[in-house]
Structure formats: structure tokens, C-alpha cells
Amino acid sequence: MEKRNKPYIQHEEPGLKKYCACSLSRNLPYCDGSHHGTGMHSYKVEIETAKTVAICGCGSSKNKPFCDGSHELLQET
Ligand code: FES
């Protein structure tokens, strides 16, 4: 994902979501298909009830695509 020191906070309605894993999307945090040819794949997540989610923007989460707070350990640039 695009390197930033904070998550993308998104309100999601129920349904299948595809979040970017390659950082090439022009519609972050969502996949726009730009990963084709890289060998990477989007993160597919079924959202069952409307809710707000925090999608990792720093690339350091161990629970991708979700933020796990690891960005707190990064220095501001
Ligand atoms: S934005 Fe990556 S862990 Fe929070």
C-alpha cells in the first residue's frame, strides 16, 4: 500500500470488498486491478454488517488488510 503513517478509515456497507495489496491502485485503499502482472492479489474481505474499518496504510500490519496499530511504531516523515 501507499506508505503513510496512518490507516484508511472507511465506513463499509455489507458486501465483498477488495483492498489493495500492491500499493499501485489509484483508488486506495481499494483494488483497482493495477496489480495484474505483479503476481500479487487483492485482499478480499466479506463485510457482513455495516461498520467502520481501519485499513492499513503503512504496510507494517501483521493483520492485513486491517490496521493492527503497528504504524504507531513508525516515525513521522
Ligand atoms: S496503518 Fe499500518 S498498522 Fe496501522
Side-chain angles (χ1 to χ4, degrees), residues 4-8 55-62 66-72 74:
R4 50 189 261 159
N5 291 345
K6 60 184 178 181
Y8 296 91
I55 303 301
C56 179
C58 76
S60 297
S61 174
K62 292 178 177 57
F66 301 105
C67 171
D68 71 354
S70 294
H71 64 270
E72 299 283 348
L74 303 175

Side-chain angles (χ1 to χ4, degrees), residues 6-66:
K6 60 184 178 181
Y8 296 91
I9 305 299
Q10 304 292 133
H11 179 77
E12 300 289 18
E13 295 297 324
L16 180 64
K17 311 301 175 187
K18 296 180 182 177
Y19 297 109
C20 179
C22 70
S23 79
L24 299 174
S25 175
R26 291 189 204 114
N27 187 34
L28 293 171
Y30 302 103
C31 173
D32 72 353
S34 294
H35 65 273
H36 291 299
T38 67
M40 299 184 79
H41 301 280
S42 60
Y43 296 105
K44 296 178 181 67
V45 177
E46 184 70 35
I47 301 290
E48 297 188 3
T49 58
K51 62 182 174 182
T52 298
V53 296
I55 303 301
C56 179
C58 76
S60 297
S61 174
K62 292 178 177 57
N63 188 34
K64 291 176 188 155
F66 301 105

